[in-house]
Amino acid sequence: MITTVYIFRHGETDWNLQRRLQGMTDIPLNETGREQALGLARNLKKLGVEIIFTSDLTRAAETARIAAQWTRAPIVVHSGLRETNLGTAEGVSIDEVKSVLGEKDLERWMSIKPEDAHFSFKDGESKHDHRVRLFDAMESNLKRFRMKVAAVSTHGGAMRRILHHIRPDLTEPVLFPNCGLYKFEFNYETGAWTHLEP
């Protein structure tokens, strides 16, 4: 059995506008973010989404609730779909990161090179550990419910971990717009993931 999985980033928050690293800090959507989620609801209905899995952080869970309005799909909340724990970097703006945390650390964090996968900010989570957590959460939920078409509401860093793991041929970091929708397939028999299209 193969399930089509649409994975999307939550709607906009004020910290997105301020270019702050959010991590596990629980920041709500702003009005623009809610409008983006409503636009996403129209797309999910057309795509026949039967169930939505979401991070338990407010910005992702609220996006899922709004996006489910037209599909009437059940929502399953799972903390494993959260953004990376960024430790001491949470709340720091991108413009401040170089001076507060060091330019080298920012470069290693943004890097998709295998040798940087185990890097983490102080008191935070590595990209490798985050990726393992995400795939464990997605696959356990998919195997539990076994729907033909599912969706996942998650975060920008999570999207990066997912896409770059499935598409190791991508050599540059991919930036994901708020409520950007990406299409994948999950094969239950082989455990393989395939990226189909944005």
Side-chain angles (χ1 to χ4, degrees):
M1 178 179 171
I2 294 176
T3 292
T4 300
V5 185
Y6 294 96
I7 305 179
F8 55 89
R9 185 186 179 195
H10 60 78
E12 184 184 85
T13 70
D14 287 344
W15 275 24
N16 288 150
L17 284 177
Q18 297 162 11
R19 291 167 49 82
R20 293 190 180 279
L21 299 174
Q22 294 181 111
M24 287 193 183
T25 304
D26 203 8
I27 306 299
L29 297 179
N30 59 25
E31 283 308 310
T32 299
R34 293 183 186 97
E35 289 172 11
Q36 290 168 336
L38 192 56
L40 189 59
R42 298 183 185 99
N43 286 330
L44 295 189
K45 182 178 170 97
K46 291 177 191 172
L47 296 169
V49 169
E50 300 169 280
I51 193 166
I52 301 175
F53 306 113
T54 182
S55 156
D56 62 341
L57 295 177
T58 301
R59 58 192 183 270
E62 187 178 3
T63 300
R65 283 195 302 275
I66 296 170
Q69 286 179 15
W70 290 9
T71 65
R72 299 192 179 175
I75 296 171
V76 177
V77 179
H78 198 293
S79 62
L81 297 171
R82 281 184 173 199
E83 182 60 287
T84 324
N85 178 353
L86 296 176
T88 55
E90 295 199 7
V92 178
S93 75
I94 294 293
D95 299 331
E96 297 168 337
V97 168
K98 289 181 183 179
S99 58
V100 174
L101 302 170
E103 187 170 354
K104 180 81 172 169
D105 281 357
L106 179 61
E107 287 175 4
R108 292 193 69 196
W109 181 252
M110 296 302 294
S111 167
I112 59 170
K113 295 175 182 176
E115 59 265 32
D116 291 318
H118 291 278
F119 171 80
S120 65
F121 292 112
K122 184 181 177 186
D123 300 325
E125 179 180 30
S126 74
K127 293 176 280 189
H128 170 269
D129 289 346
H130 185 210
R131 176 180 58 76
V132 170
R133 168 165 65 78
L134 287 165
F135 278 93
D136 282 349
M138 289 195 299
E139 292 177 10
S140 65
N141 277 300
L142 288 168
K143 289 172 182 176
R144 178 183 171 196
F145 292 96
R146 288 187 173 259
M147 299 288 193
K148 289 184 179 178
V149 184
V152 177
S153 177
T154 190
H155 306 267
M159 300 281 293
R160 195 171 298 119
R161 306 290 102 73
I162 292 165
L163 183 61
H164 284 290
H165 179 68
I166 295 170
R167 292 281 309 277
D169 56 302
L170 296 173
T171 57
E172 296 294 330
V174 177
L175 298 178
F176 298 91
N178 293 105
C179 286
L181 194 63
Y182 291 76
K183 185 179 181 181
F184 299 85
E185 282 184 349
F186 175 66
N187 186 313
Y188 291 86
E189 282 69 39
T190 65
W193 284 86
T194 306
H195 172 230
L196 299 178
E197 60 189 45

